[in-house]
Amino acid sequence: MTRVKFIDITEGAVKLKVPDPKLYKLDSKAPVFYNPAMTLNRDLSVLLLKAVGNVESAVDLLAATGVRGLRIKKEAGVERVYINDASSTAFALMKQNAKLNKLKVIISNLRAHELLAGRHKRKDKKFGYVDIDPFGTPVPFLDAGVKAIVENRGGIIAVTATDTSALCGTYPDACLRKYGAKPLYNYLMNEAGLRILIKKVQEVGAQYDIALTPLFAHTTRHYMRCYLRAERGADKADKILQQIGCFQGAGPMWLGKLWDEQLVEKMFRLTFKMKHISAETKSLLHTILLESKIPIVGFYDLAAMHLKQVPRLQSVIENLWSTGFKAARTHFSRTGIKTDATEKEFEKIIKKFY
Ligand SMILES: C[S@@+](CC[C@H](N)C(=O)[O-])C[C@H]1O[C@@H](n2cnc3c(N)ncnc32)[C@H](O)[C@@H]1O
């Protein structure tokens, strides 16, 4: 710990010490992992918990610098926040960072499974919010994670996957092994990958009669992330499983809604009140707010249509509106459009531009 060089930074409303990025690589070999590009990911956790409003306890099982938990405590006001990491260097740094912000959080240095098995010896045996943000695949943490959610009072599990090469079809065998599904390797791969990840978490829940409904989900080039709300009940879990199926020869995957529209609306409104939320997060939420109103699996991608000249995305969207269809940009692709128009109807609109 003493030999690691730290710098002082601010993220959201918290101050942090993080390893000097000039000296250490941003990977699993860093003394403690901190990725500034994940600020958006953490902004969304804060906004979601603030919008949900009644979460009393939260745990970041793999907390590294502790940044997510500290922000959840300070910005979302969750009463009891647990931050845990198996690394002793991370543990020492989390303590420093909590002190720096004068925040009372419960800090532990356990393997995630030990914490979930009750080794922290604290009041909470289960949590209103469980965050799983590992290096690579979240699969090894799902079973214990799902069982640790307070499922009777709508607990939430948040899961990040950075093994996008498996989920997005570069390594289909890995996807089949880890997620029990066949991925897509075309312009729809990000959406399909996210739906496969959701399906995997839901199947783990269903084993214990826990129904897991997506509240919010998003992807970037580097990772996928989903937030699911738990409810106990075999019938409810069965209903979730009924919405799992195949799409374009890939899957099985979740075919239901990815977003709770009302929650997205609340989160977006909060971005105007919470001055620490980044412009990037606000912009992503705006796109998701519009696409959440078109709960359709898949989208059309102008770049994948081999057109001689690609029309302006907004012009195509407006044309779809004036023809009576729903249409919006999608955060899955810069050139993608979500719409309720069929393929034929969409092609007819595109032909108007030639
Ligand atoms: C990707 S980082 C977490 C980043 C953090 N959530 C954030 O938002 O900055 C993954 C962390 O998991 C920790 N870790 C790996 N395996 C673990 C385990 N079995 N139990 C607890 N922590 C573990 C690593 O030490 C590392 O700090």
Side-chain angles (χ1 to χ4, degrees):
M1 177 74 180
T2 45
R3 268 181 275 127
V4 179
K5 286 256 183 295
F6 294 104
I7 58 160
D8 294 309
I9 62 148
T10 303
E11 185 188 300
V14 301
K15 291 177 256 171
L16 295 167
K17 287 199 180 294
V18 301
D20 187 342
K22 288 197 203 98
L23 300 178
Y24 309 104
K25 270 196 185 163
L26 219 173
D27 60 20
S28 58
K29 290 184 196 79
V32 182
F33 186 79
Y34 175 75
N35 185 355
M38 289 291 220
T39 301
L40 172 139
N41 178 320
R42 292 182 284 263
D43 277 354
L44 290 167
S45 300
V46 169
L47 288 167
L48 184 133
L49 284 168
K50 182 107 178 150
V52 167
N54 57 354
V55 177
E56 286 173 8
S57 61
V59 61
D60 185 355
L61 291 174
L62 311 131
T65 59
V67 54
R68 191 187 301 270
L70 295 174
R71 291 193 60 190
I72 286 172
K73 175 82 183 174
K74 184 154 185 184
E75 296 170 48
V78 173
E79 209 177 305
R80 294 182 305 286
V81 174
Y82 294 73
I83 50 179
N84 173 72
D85 202 286
S87 145
S88 53
T89 317
F91 177 59
L93 185 59
M94 287 192 288
K95 286 203 281 192
Q96 272 198 41
N97 281 334
K99 204 167 160 194
L100 197 63
N101 292 282
K102 300 188 178 67
L103 288 172
K104 277 200 174 152
V105 290
I106 301 140
I107 307 171
S108 53
N109 183 204
L110 298 166
R111 296 188 65 77
H113 293 83
E114 295 173 323
L115 180 130
L116 295 177
R119 283 277 302 277
H120 58 89
K121 299 192 184 93
R122 298 285 175 156
K123 176 178 169 187
D124 298 283
K125 297 282 174 267
K126 294 199 172 201
F127 304 89
Y129 173 84
V130 176
D131 202 298
I132 299 175
D133 182 29
F135 296 125
T137 179
V139 168
F141 303 100
L142 291 181
D143 197 79
V146 159
K147 284 193 277 187
I149 322 169
V150 283
E151 73 276 17
N152 292 332
R153 282 171 282 134
I156 296 165
I157 184 164
V159 180
T160 311
T162 59
D163 56 337
T164 51
S165 53
L167 285 161
C168 294
T170 311
Y171 300 117
D173 292 348
C175 190
L176 195 60
R177 260 192 333 271
K178 293 186 166 62
Y179 297 93
K182 192 173 157 202
L184 277 178
Y185 189 54
N186 62 18
Y187 66 94
L188 291 168
M189 61 194 180
N190 282 321
E191 179 168 347
L194 182 60
R195 290 179 178 280
I196 288 171
L197 171 67
I198 291 171
K199 177 227 55 146
K200 176 74 189 185
V201 187
Q202 288 170 325
E203 280 176 351
V204 174
Q207 295 178 112
Y208 304 108
D209 295 345
I210 296 171
L212 292 167
T213 307
L215 289 179
F216 192 88
H218 65 112
T219 70
T220 69
R221 261 181 311 135
H222 309 289
Y223 67 89
M224 314 204 148
R225 173 105 169 140
C226 57
Y227 297 79
L228 311 180
R229 192 198 281 283
E231 270 182 294
R232 177 157 284 287
D235 290 349
K236 287 179 182 154
D238 287 345
K239 283 206 179 98
I240 289 292
L241 296 182
Q242 280 157 17
Q243 291 182 73
I244 287 173
C246 289
F247 168 66
Q248 283 212 351
M253 64 179 81
W254 169 246
L255 297 176
K257 281 189 176 191
L258 294 175
W259 300 283
D260 175 320
E261 282 166 66
Q262 282 177 353
L263 183 70
V264 179
E265 203 139 353
K266 263 192 186 173
M267 288 167 70
F268 182 62
R269 269 193 265 117
L270 278 171
T271 63
F272 295 92
K273 289 194 193 148
M274 298 175 73
K275 60 180 192 304
H276 302 293
I277 299 301
S278 68
E280 190 192 7
T281 306
K282 206 171 185 172
S283 156
L284 174 75
L285 265 175
H286 186 244
T287 307
I288 288 182
L289 177 61
L290 300 181
E291 74 173 309
S292 71
K293 296 186 195 305
I294 310 172
I296 278 181
V297 183
F299 55 90
Y300 302 110
D301 200 314
L302 298 183
M305 290 178 82
H306 307 295
L307 302 168
K308 276 193 202 125
Q309 212 183 337
V310 179
R312 273 187 60 233
L313 203 76
Q314 194 55 31
S315 307
V316 178
I317 291 175
E318 283 168 17
N319 234 284
L320 283 157
W321 288 343
S322 63
T323 323
F325 296 112
K326 289 184 185 170
R329 285 167 191 266
T330 169
H331 86 288
F332 290 117
S333 163
R334 277 165 189 259
T335 46
I337 297 176
K338 279 232 179 241
T339 172
D340 54 355
T342 64
E343 205 170 334
K344 268 201 175 149
E345 288 162 341
F346 189 75
E347 276 169 8
K348 216 164 136 189
I349 300 275
I350 294 294
K351 277 192 188 135
K352 288 192 198 171
F353 288 86
Y354 296 98

